């Protein structure tokens, strides 16, 4: 997904095969359990399916790092299905990139997936992410 600044971030579901093309240089995996090993630099943000990150502080740090690194690197955000948690994290990156928090979910639904951000509490999380 292209952010307004031009940064590119790939969102995906880990239950699907790795897409063709260049592999990421940095990834944040949004899962309730430790992710599988990958040959690129990756961080794990404990985030149970349909819920919110276990640590708000760690989420802000890792998503901030992903946004910063996307200026120069190939960055990937991924959860199991690639919609709820990934969409929520992409919306948070959109907020970091200057999209108003009350428009970030719609931005991600238009530019990534119409099914992104699955629950009301995920939408509220995006609204409160920068605050």
């Amino acid at each position: 997904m292209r952010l307004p600044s031009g940064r590119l971030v790939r969102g995906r579901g880990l239950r699907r095969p790795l897409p063709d093309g260049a592999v990421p240089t940095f990834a944040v995996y949004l899962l309730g359990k430790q992710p599988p090993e990958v040959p690129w630099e990756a961080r794990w943000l404990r985030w149970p399916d349909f819920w919110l990150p276990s640590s708000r502080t760690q989420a802000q740090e890792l998503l901030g790092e992903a946004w910063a690194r996307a200026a120069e690197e190939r960055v990937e955000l991924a959860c199991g299905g690639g919609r709820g948690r990934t969409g929520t994290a992409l919306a948070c990156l959109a907020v970091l990139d200057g999209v108003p928090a009350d428009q970030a979910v719609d931005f991600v639904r238009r530019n990534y997936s119409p099914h992104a951000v699955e629950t009301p509490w995920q939408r509220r999380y995006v609204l409160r992410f920068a605050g």
Side-chain angles (χ1 to χ4, degrees):
M1 179 182 84
R2 184 175 300 277
L3 294 166
S5 66
R7 287 172 165 90
L8 290 172
V9 180
R10 179 170 74 190
R12 76 176 181 105
L14 293 172
R15 291 191 295 264
R16 296 186 188 99
L18 187 66
D20 291 335
V23 297
T25 55
F26 178 72
V28 177
Y29 295 120
L30 317 159
L31 299 167
K33 61 181 182 175
Q34 188 151 354
E37 291 290 321
V38 291
W40 47 83
E41 186 179 357
R43 305 267 194 285
W44 171 36
L45 177 57
R46 186 183 296 274
W47 191 332
D49 201 7
F50 296 106
W51 292 100
L52 299 175
S54 297
S55 167
R56 182 179 181 88
T57 303
Q58 184 188 27
Q60 289 174 322
E61 289 171 3
L62 289 178
L63 295 176
E65 181 179 2
W67 177 80
R69 292 178 74 160
E72 303 286 332
E73 300 178 50
R74 290 183 305 277
V75 172
E76 171 176 271
L77 298 178
C79 64
R83 291 184 178 193
R85 294 168 285 181
T86 298
T88 302
L90 287 169
C92 291
L93 264 60
V95 170
L96 292 174
D97 206 61
V99 175
D102 63 345
Q103 297 173 29
V105 171
D106 288 336
F107 177 85
V108 171
R109 287 179 174 168
R110 278 192 319 275
N111 294 285
Y112 172 66
S113 168
H115 305 288
V117 190
E118 296 174 314
T119 68
W121 42 92
Q122 289 172 340
R123 285 191 293 277
R124 277 193 307 272
Y125 185 83
V126 173
L127 282 172
R128 298 174 181 157
F129 181 74

